[in-house]
Amino acid sequence: EGYALNEWVLGEHAGTHMNAPSAFLKDGNTIDKYEVDTLVCSAVCIDVQDSIVENVDYLLTMEDLSDWEYRFGEIEKGSVVLLNTGWSVYWGEPERYMNIGTDGIMAFPGFGEEVIKFLISHRSIRGVGIDSPGVDGGANLEYSINKLVLAENRIVLENLTNLSVL
């Protein structure tokens, strides 16, 4: 017909992205249902890189949160809590980044369920983000962190990079 036409396909969970409730919850909203003004908010960044060195399945703990708030103050209502694990350094190595064991289970850091419940109920966070493939951590095949955070259309950001500069 006189022109070149190419096809481009990209998985929705590839690269840095925001999860939609519909990805994890039967009646969850699609990403286009978020109001734009709910996506602009303050953020805090908790660094747990040292803990990852000894445990690639490390999950953020209440102790980590208490230590962070002792140093920087209580997390502001409506903030997004970012977790700097240092995992993004493996982005160029897909096998290492996904870290799939011989049992088929992935191993990478994430958020602990107790911390998420606390952040939602006592800090009224707007969402969470991480520099690994998922906020749930590789071994959490129930995706409980995503489900807890997305149940009320909060923000879930994954595969972030350069969190060390925050």
Side-chain angles (χ1 to χ4, degrees):
E1 301 289 327
Y3 62 90
L5 179 62
N6 297 294
E7 179 180 9
W8 184 47
V9 177
L10 177 67
E12 66 180 307
H13 289 272
T16 299
H17 66 275
M18 180 173 153
N19 287 344
S22 60
F24 297 94
L25 305 168
K26 184 180 180 196
D27 295 320
N29 281 333
T30 52
I31 204 75
D32 60 308
K33 301 295 188 226
Y34 279 83
E35 296 293 327
V36 173
D37 62 342
T38 67
L39 302 175
V40 178
C41 53
S42 299
V44 301
C45 187
I46 300 174
D47 190 315
V48 294
Q49 292 182 83
D50 292 342
S51 300
I52 307 309
V53 172
E54 295 179 23
N55 179 7
V56 297
D57 284 314
Y58 190 79
L59 301 177
L60 182 69
T61 66
M62 287 300 296
E63 183 178 351
D64 296 323
L65 180 61
S66 294
D67 289 348
W68 190 92
E69 287 191 331
Y70 179 78
R71 288 185 64 201
F72 300 104
E74 189 173 293
I75 293 173
E76 182 182 320
K77 177 181 178 180
S79 295
V80 170
V81 177
L82 304 175
L83 189 57
N84 180 25
T85 69
W87 204 257
S88 64
V89 299
Y90 303 122
W91 176 255
E93 306 170 55
E95 287 182 15
R96 178 68 175 103
Y97 190 71
M98 297 309 290
N99 206 23
I100 301 172
T102 55
D103 58 1
I105 305 294
M106 294 180 284
F108 54 80
F111 284 84
E113 196 168 314
E114 179 185 17
V115 174
I116 289 297
K117 288 177 179 177
F118 177 85
L119 289 170
I120 289 170
S121 63
H122 296 286
R123 297 295 180 263
S124 301
I125 62 166
R126 181 72 197 110
V128 294
I130 196 164
D131 59 354
S132 75
V135 294
D136 290 290
N140 184 345
L141 302 178
E142 299 296 317
Y143 305 105
S144 60
I145 304 305
N146 264 286
K147 290 174 183 175
L148 285 166
V149 176
L150 295 171
E152 295 182 29
N153 295 320
R154 290 181 179 90
I155 298 168
V156 171
L157 304 168
E158 297 173 329
N159 295 311
L160 297 172
T161 191
N162 293 321
L163 292 181
S164 292
V165 301
L166 299 179

